[in-house]
Amino acid sequence: MGLIHIDLFTTLDGVAQAPGGPGEDPADGFEFGGWQAPLIDEIVGAQIDSGMEGMDALLLGRRTYDIFASYWPHANGDIARLFNRLPKYVASRQTPALGWAGSTLLGPDVAAAVRELRERHASIHVIGSLDFVQTLFAERIFDRLTLWVYPILLGNGKKVFAGGVVPTNLRLIEPVVASPMGAVMQRYALVDGTPAVGDMSAVDQEG
């Protein structure tokens, strides 16, 4: 069975809206589109590239798909070549025209459709797609979560962990990577169960 990877860029206060550019997602008057660009360095670039090794499908929400479809077919470079040849699956409540070659609209039962993709692909990556990601969090339909956390605070903006999150256990599966500009990469695996609780007063007494 294949793995579903969620790849997200976020500020320290959890804002993940429009990291790539000013026009990416200006919803609700968001004024900081492109906040990631000044903080990219060689370490971030190398880690992003290595994280794509083995990727054999893209799974995207409608907004992110539209952004990618307007850019990557006309771009050059390794990432462009990879994205353009991969099959692309799109989650949408509507029936949009999908003009990017290799694109397929998922059926109305998105959770079932995503689970079925695991039987067809080894390494499916969800990039951005904040609204769609909430569904994956709520249904626990993911296997890996990679977060790039950047050393800025924005206050307002769409959050990584919004309405879809349910109590979930994760396990850090790689050493944390820090870049010279202060970005930190954390890669987690989904594990069974829900978070445990305890009583810190008992620990204090033992000490």
Side-chain angles (χ1 to χ4, degrees):
M1 180 178 291
L3 301 180
I4 295 177
H5 301 251
I6 297 176
D7 305 322
L8 295 170
F9 306 107
T10 176
T11 65
L12 272 173
D13 57 338
V15 175
Q17 184 170 349
E24 184 175 326
D25 183 4
D28 301 319
F30 188 68
E31 297 178 350
F32 289 95
W35 53 262
Q36 181 190 21
L39 299 169
I40 291 287
D41 56 34
E42 291 184 0
I43 295 297
V44 172
Q47 289 296 320
I48 291 173
D49 288 346
S50 67
M52 294 183 182
E53 293 178 3
M55 181 190 302
D56 64 351
L58 278 172
L59 175 59
L60 304 171
R62 169 67 187 281
R63 182 186 293 274
T64 299
Y65 173 83
D66 287 344
I67 294 168
F68 279 25
S70 69
Y71 177 78
W72 289 112
H74 316 291
N76 297 309
D78 292 341
I79 294 178
R81 285 189 287 272
L82 174 65
F83 284 3
N84 286 325
R85 69 172 175 79
L86 288 180
K88 293 158 278 283
Y89 300 95
V90 184
S92 177
R93 297 181 182 89
Q94 302 174 353
T95 54
L98 305 179
W100 193 6
S103 300
T104 301
L105 183 66
L106 297 181
D109 187 343
V110 171
V114 172
R115 291 187 177 97
E116 192 272 335
L117 291 179
R118 280 175 162 155
E119 305 298 327
R120 300 167 57 184
H121 298 284
S123 183
I124 306 154
H125 281 248
V126 184
I127 302 173
S129 308
L130 283 180
D131 292 338
F132 173 51
V133 160
Q134 303 311 309
T135 298
L136 300 181
F137 287 151
E139 300 286 342
R140 293 169 56 93
I141 313 175
F142 69 97
D143 303 283
R144 300 289 184 268
L145 173 62
T146 300
L147 292 177
W148 274 103
V149 183
Y150 289 81
I152 57 174
L153 304 173
L154 294 180
N156 296 321
K158 296 178 182 178
K159 304 288 187 176
V160 169
F161 304 112
V165 174
V166 297
T168 301
N169 285 330
L170 301 171
R171 176 170 55 87
L172 188 69
I173 57 173
E174 295 181 12
V176 170
V177 175
S179 79
M181 295 294 291
V184 177
M185 187 201 76
Q186 305 162 47
R187 182 164 289 137
Y188 298 92
L190 177 70
V191 295
D192 292 336
T194 56
V197 299
D199 186 349
M200 290 300 295
S201 64
V203 176
D204 292 340
Q205 292 173 7
E206 291 175 3

